[in-house]
Amino acid sequence: MNTENYNIFLNEISEKPLPVIDVEISFNSYIDISLSESNNDLMSFNTSSSEEWEKYITSFLEKSNAEIAFGGYLEKRNLYDRSDYFKNQLENEKRNIHLGIDLWCKENTKVLAVLEGEIHSFKFNNNYGDYGPTIILKHEINKITFYTLYGHLSKESIQNINVGDKILQGDVLAFLGDSSVNGDYAPHLHFQIIKDLQDNCGDYPGVSSSENIDFYKNNCPNPNLLLKL
């Protein structure tokens, strides 16, 4: 299936937005945010500090009278420069293009399964700047198999779960972690769609280099095809 038809398939799964965050938070309380290299506000604080990030996100939400800030698909970001985890020796291989949607809100916020599926894998990805606790769900719709990844969760979210556990759409899958476990970020969810996991378990690249973006753009469709934010 080509990219255009695959995107149509994802978009037609639901006419309505599919929640990935606690449904008690109204969609009217969502606001989009840019964390791209063109956002000059990011020059006003130390982006290597999770405390400064949390202050920035909290202030942004308060000024906007919102509870969740979202965005970031294919956004080119400088914030990954703080971690060697995203750097290769060649400049054009530096990974700084974001492949999912981030939803920034308070720690311990409920994370919901966007679609019915089963737990494919889970892992504590504890590199500096990494996902922290992560869950990947496997879905099969109209004989098409694909995956959704939920990153930056609490450690408790990956306890007492098992590969193969059945998950219903809308189930409380997890809770958001704080900076001590989530890769040293302000609390947020990284949500990503993946067509081919390439034999990964509990982890998959959430940031691409410019060199590899064509592959990842095809393999990781826009999550907003499901979320419709």
Side-chain angles (χ1 to χ4, degrees), residues 76-142:
K76 192 171 185 180
R77 296 172 167 179
N78 288 332
L79 65 94
Y80 304 114
D81 289 348
R82 67 186 187 136
S83 173
D84 290 339
Y85 179 65
F86 296 100
K87 296 177 183 176
N88 294 320
Q89 290 183 346
L90 298 177
E91 177 64 24
N92 67 336
E93 291 184 352
K94 181 173 70 173
R95 295 193 295 133
N96 59 2
I97 303 174
H98 192 249
L99 299 172
I101 280 183
D102 286 335
L103 297 101
W104 303 83
C105 48
K106 295 179 180 179
E107 65 186 80
N108 293 320
T109 299
K110 294 177 182 177
V111 175
L112 310 181
V114 170
L115 295 168
E116 179 179 346
E118 65 179 48
I119 293 178
H120 171 274
S121 51
F122 55 93
K123 184 180 177 183
F124 184 18
N125 298 291
N126 61 351
N127 294 298
Y128 177 59
D130 207 338
Y131 289 130
T134 308
I135 297 175
I136 296 177
L137 297 185
K138 178 181 179 181
H139 311 280
E140 184 173 339
I141 297 176
N142 297 340

Side-chain angles (χ1 to χ4, degrees), residues 24-86:
E24 292 186 7
I25 302 176
S26 166
F27 282 121
N28 293 329
S29 296
Y30 285 57
I31 188 167
D32 63 316
I33 187 172
S34 168
L35 300 180
S36 74
E37 58 186 8
S38 63
N39 182 353
N40 292 328
D41 288 347
L42 304 187
M43 303 293 290
S44 66
F45 66 94
N46 179 8
T47 57
S48 66
S49 165
S50 58
E51 291 182 2
E52 292 296 309
W53 267 111
E54 193 158 357
K55 288 178 183 177
Y56 173 72
I57 295 294
T58 299
S59 174
F60 180 87
L61 290 172
E62 288 177 350
K63 289 177 181 177
S64 307
N65 193 28
E67 293 186 64
I68 297 177
F70 69 91
Y73 181 63
L74 299 186
E75 192 170 74
K76 192 171 185 180
R77 296 172 167 179
N78 288 332
L79 65 94
Y80 304 114
D81 289 348
R82 67 186 187 136
S83 173
D84 290 339
Y85 179 65
F86 296 100

